[in-house]
Amino acid sequence: MTHLTEDAHGVYVIAVTPFLPDGGLDLESTDRMVDFYLEAGATGLTVLGMMGEAPKLTIEESRIVVRRILARVAGRVPVVVGVSAPGLAQIQALSAAVMDDGAAGVMIAPPGNLHTDDQIVSYYHQAAHFIGDTPFVLQDFPLATGVHMSVPVIKRIIEDLPGCVCLKHEDWPGLEKISALRAEGAVSRRISVLCGNGGLFLPEEMARGADGAMTGFGYPEMMVDVVRHHHGGTPDRGQDIFDAYLPLARYELQPGAGLAVRKYVLAKRGVIAHATLRRPGAAITDTARAEVDRLIERQEKRLKEIG
C-alpha cells in the first residue's frame, strides 16, 4: 500500500465498527460497509476513529477489524488507522502492526492532559519518535479532546515533523484556522487538510482551502458530491446538494446520540445488519427513529426536486 502523503484529497470516510446484537464483531457487515463506502466514491477510509468506537475494542479486536477492512479494500484506496491511546508504547505497537498489515498511515489525537502550546508540540515530537517514519494525521478535535491547538502550534508541528502529512481539522467550525494555514507563506510546506464535524461546514471549508473531508455521515455520497463539485468548478451545485442533506446531517451531529443515529441510517440502508452500539451506548428511541425517517423522506423529496 502506498503511504499517505500531503496530496491526500477527496473524502476519507470515518468507518463505523459493525457489531452483532450481542456486541460481538460483525465482520460480514464490515465487508458490506467497505463496499458501500467505495461505491459511494470514497477516496480513502479511516478506521478506529472516535466514531468507530475504537476505545471499546480490545487490542486484538482492533487488529481483526483493521485486517478485515484492509483485505476487503485490497489496495484500492488508502486506509488510515486511528492509533490514539493513553501511552506512547501502545501507539507505537499499534502503528507498527497496522502499517505491517498494509495501512497507509495513522491518526493521532492529543491526550486531554496537554494544557500549553509547548506541551502539545512536545507530545507530537515524542509520538513521531515512537512511530518512526510512519506518516501521520494530526487530529485537531478540541470538542472531544479538550485540547485547543492554535495556528502557531499546528505550524510548529508541520515545520518540525515531516511525518505530519495531513491535518484532520474539526474545530467548531474553525474556518479562520484553515484560512490562516492556507495563507501564502504561512508554512514552508503544504499539507493536506481534511475536515470533520460530520461535514456540517464542508462547503465553507472547501472554499477556505480544505482538500476534502475525513468524517462520517449516513449518506457519504453527499460529501463526495460537495467535494467533486467544488473541484469541478460548480460549487453552487454542490451547495444545493449539501442543503438537501443538511437537516439530517444536523440531526446526526447531536452530542451523545450521533453515532446511534448514523448506525440506524446505515442499517436502514442495508449497509450493516444491526445498529448495535457496544456498551456503554444505547440505541436511539422509537421517537428518534421516527424523526430520522421523516428527515430521510423529506431529503429524498428534495433531491428529486433539484434533479
Side-chain angles (χ1 to χ4, degrees):
M1 168 63 71
T2 302
H3 282 188
L4 190 71
T5 72
E6 294 91 342
D7 297 323
H9 64 279
V11 177
Y12 280 62
V13 179
I14 296 284
V16 303
T17 302
F19 294 110
L20 298 168
D22 65 0
L25 296 176
D26 183 352
L27 298 178
E28 291 186 4
S29 286
T30 299
D31 290 342
R32 283 199 308 275
M33 176 190 70
V34 168
D35 294 344
F36 166 75
Y37 287 146
L38 296 186
E39 288 167 5
T43 51
L45 297 181
T46 303
V47 302
L48 302 187
M50 294 181 184
M51 293 297 272
E53 299 179 79
K56 301 177 185 178
L57 302 178
T58 66
I59 293 176
E60 181 57 30
E61 285 176 327
S62 296
R63 294 291 309 279
I64 291 171
V65 169
V66 170
R67 284 174 172 168
R68 186 77 174 212
I69 289 175
L70 287 169
R72 193 70 175 187
V73 169
R76 287 174 287 175
V77 299
V79 176
V80 175
V81 180
V83 296
S84 304
L88 291 171
Q90 186 173 339
I91 290 175
Q92 180 185 44
L94 186 54
S95 296
V98 300
M99 294 302 290
D100 285 345
D101 289 338
V106 300
M107 180 168 65
I108 304 175
N113 63 343
L114 305 179
H115 304 296
T116 69
D117 289 356
D118 286 344
Q119 286 176 339
I120 297 169
V121 174
S122 176
Y123 174 79
Y124 277 98
H125 271 265
Q126 293 177 65
H129 173 74
F130 270 76
I131 65 173
D133 60 358
T134 298
F136 71 91
V137 177
L138 172 63
Q139 186 173 12
D140 180 18
F141 193 8
L143 287 176
T145 64
V147 177
H148 293 267
M149 295 189 200
S150 66
V151 171
V153 163
I154 295 172
K155 288 181 179 179
R156 286 171 63 186
I157 294 171
I158 293 171
E159 299 286 357
D160 292 353
L161 304 173
C164 179
V165 298
C166 177
L167 170 68
K168 186 188 178 189
H169 166 81
E170 44 193 339
D171 210 336
W172 187 263
L175 296 173
E176 298 301 333
K177 187 177 288 187
I178 299 175
S179 293
L181 290 169
R182 288 301 191 228
E184 185 175 355
V187 290
S188 62
R189 64 186 179 95
R190 186 188 192 280
I191 69 167
S192 172
V193 174
L194 302 176
C195 298
N197 291 321
L200 201 61
F201 304 99
L202 187 55
E204 293 78 17
E205 290 163 341
M206 295 299 298
R208 295 286 188 123
D211 297 293
M214 183 181 280
T215 189
F217 178 48
Y219 287 82
E221 56 265 44
M222 176 274 282
M223 299 183 292
V224 171
D225 283 342
V226 170
V227 172
R228 176 171 58 84
H229 281 290
H230 177 84
H231 288 311
T234 52
D236 285 346
R237 173 59 179 171
Q239 184 76 57
D240 290 341
I241 294 170
F242 173 83
D243 290 347
Y245 288 94
L246 181 56
L248 182 60
R250 171 187 59 84
Y251 193 94
E252 191 187 281
L253 210 61
Q254 294 178 82
L259 181 57
V261 173
R262 185 178 302 170
K263 281 194 160 183
Y264 172 70
V265 172
L266 291 173
K268 182 180 176 71
R269 299 188 72 186
V271 179
I272 58 178
H274 314 282
T276 308
L277 272 68
R278 180 171 277 187
R279 296 182 183 276
I284 60 176
T285 64
D286 290 342
T287 301
R289 281 192 287 271
E291 291 169 342
V292 172
D293 290 345
R294 178 177 178 271
L295 289 173
I296 291 174
E297 289 175 4
R298 292 177 60 84
Q299 173 180 289
E300 291 175 349
K301 178 182 178 181
R302 182 58 184 151
L303 288 169
K304 289 179 181 178
E305 290 172 352
I306 66 176

